[in-house]
Amino acid sequence: MTRQVKLSRIESALSELSYPVSRDEAASEFEDVTLTHANGELNLGDLVADTSAEEYESVEDLSTEIENALPRDAVGEPYQSEGEG
């Protein structure tokens, strides 16, 4: 069953992992998670797999890497709140 998580709630999903965690392990854990954002949806496992770090020390580390890998339109228009997206 596919899980869904909103971009604004991503840290709660990331906190399910035990840190430190490797990129491959994190990507595998989230392969069934759909990340919903301001302009659509992405597979969270694929997004994690596209990050540059080999390992994440904390939720914040992984969250930052994911934010850097997101397409620009995923967070909406500049200066607008992400809201529930």
Side-chain angles (χ1 to χ4, degrees):
M1 184 170 159
T2 301
R3 300 179 287 163
Q4 283 196 331
V5 64
K6 293 180 181 182
L7 181 57
S8 61
R9 309 274 192 268
I10 194 168
E11 288 194 2
S12 65
L14 300 181
S15 68
E16 296 173 8
L17 299 176
S18 296
Y19 293 86
V21 65
S22 70
R23 178 180 56 215
D24 292 341
E25 185 179 346
S28 177
E29 285 292 322
F30 294 124
E31 67 185 10
D32 68 335
V33 177
T34 299
L35 179 65
T36 59
H37 57 82
N39 215 24
E41 298 178 340
L42 294 167
N43 178 278
L44 184 55
D46 291 345
L47 194 59
V48 170
D50 289 342
T51 63
S52 60
E54 293 293 323
E55 185 173 86
Y56 314 101
E57 295 297 322
S58 66
V59 170
E60 293 78 18
D61 287 348
L62 180 50
S63 178
T64 298
E65 287 287 329
I66 290 170
E67 288 172 18
N68 290 336
L70 286 170
R72 177 170 270 191
D73 64 352
V75 294
E77 296 295 320
Y79 307 111
Q80 288 186 346
S81 170
E82 172 181 321
E84 289 297 311

